[in-house]
Amino acid sequence: MKPVPESALATQVVPSPNHGERRLPVDMLILHYTGMTDGAAAVLRLANPLAEVSAHYVVFEDGRVIQMVPEARRAWHGGAGAWEGVRDVNSRSIGIEIVHPGHAGGLPPYPDAQIAAVAALARDILARWPIRADRVLGHSDVAPGRKQDPGEGFPWERLHRDGVGHWVAPVPIRDGRFFSEGDAGQPIEALQAMLALYGYDQPVTGHFDARTRDVVAAFQRHFRPARVDGVADASTITTLRDLLAARPA
């Protein structure tokens, strides 16, 4: 019998063998880009048992959606990562791969039809699973330094307007005091504590090290994309503060 997609937005199921049993309840939605030249190649890779990667859904440039892994199963899309202290991101999340060439391909704009489809699919998933707005995340959020997708060109603000994800208007970039790699002291502890409170895997050490730089860059890539440099300027810190204040209960 031909498998039927769980989402009415998906046109077909292209099964991937790369999944297993969940070990935790689902409470996250993770967005990725494929980072490949075309969707057909991406689907072949996600269905290849030797690749050991997969996702629940793939969204093509024209808005077409296919399902590859049942939502109740643990797809292998997140890899090593963490959020709010839990490291098995795959067990607790549903993964959407968005066909896009990524940073290596010049980070072109995402097509409108594709983003509309991502938003509609996300809303459909959120209607079935208890996922808070602030737990709709990018791969770079749960794996700072290792991953950059879906990238600073991804329109998170538009998704938020369409009812998906957590967002506040980024504070404009201005001159002023900033913190960067090599700095240390109580202000760095406070910054690290705020990042950890939001969910990032950020130890509170008081030292602005390479790890902190990567986490700050991941935060900027999602929430302050006008400049992604890993430097904690006033715009970055104040935007983080505003996000924490507006976080869903």
Side-chain angles (χ1 to χ4, degrees):
M1 183 176 177
K2 189 176 180 180
V4 177
E6 291 171 89
S7 172
L9 299 166
T11 59
Q12 66 179 123
V13 175
V14 180
S16 170
N18 302 329
H19 55 84
E21 295 287 340
R22 290 194 183 274
R23 305 173 189 131
L24 294 166
V26 172
D27 62 1
M28 299 174 67
L29 177 61
I30 307 296
L31 305 186
H32 309 253
Y33 62 44
T34 57
M36 300 182 71
T37 54
D38 63 79
V43 171
L44 284 174
R45 183 169 185 269
L46 294 168
N48 184 349
L50 298 179
E52 297 186 339
V53 293
S54 62
H56 295 91
Y57 294 95
V58 178
V59 181
F60 292 81
E61 296 98 330
D62 61 0
R64 184 167 59 94
V65 178
I66 65 168
Q67 184 167 8
M68 300 197 72
V69 174
E71 291 181 10
R73 299 289 289 175
R74 180 181 180 273
W76 303 344
H77 62 95
W83 191 258
E84 290 192 318
V86 177
R87 299 195 170 275
D88 188 356
V89 171
N90 284 340
S91 275
R92 67 196 301 194
S93 63
I94 291 173
I96 299 175
E97 285 279 358
I98 305 165
V99 175
H100 189 273
H103 287 78
L107 209 64
Y110 286 86
D112 286 343
Q114 186 177 46
I115 295 304
V118 170
L121 176 61
R123 288 195 302 269
D124 187 54
I125 292 167
L126 296 175
R128 288 191 295 278
W129 297 95
I131 299 172
R132 294 195 322 249
D134 59 314
R135 296 174 75 81
V136 178
L137 300 164
H139 199 183
S140 57
D141 291 309
V142 300
R146 188 173 70 85
K147 293 294 181 179
Q148 295 179 293
D149 55 314
E152 54 271 29
F154 186 77
W156 290 104
E157 181 178 10
R158 175 176 168 183
L159 235 64
H160 177 70
R161 291 199 308 267
D162 287 344
V164 178
H166 186 211
W167 179 265
V168 297
V171 174
I173 298 172
R174 300 188 179 94
D175 293 335
R177 189 180 183 191
F178 61 87
F179 302 104
S180 59
E181 193 170 359
D183 289 337
Q186 192 277 331
I188 308 305
E189 287 185 13
L191 168 66
Q192 292 170 332
M194 291 169 68
L195 290 164
L197 182 61
Y198 195 75
Y200 287 94
D201 185 23
Q202 174 60 67
V204 180
T205 64
H207 295 275
F208 201 122
D209 53 10
R211 174 66 184 180
T212 305
R213 178 202 63 212
D214 289 344
V215 173
V216 169
F219 174 83
Q220 292 169 333
R221 189 163 276 120
H222 186 155
F223 297 108
R224 208 290 305 276
R227 186 164 70 202
V228 179
D229 57 7
V231 173
D233 57 5
S235 167
T236 301
I237 295 169
T238 308
T239 302
L240 173 57
R241 181 203 66 191
D242 292 348
L243 276 164
L244 285 166
R247 194 175 191 179

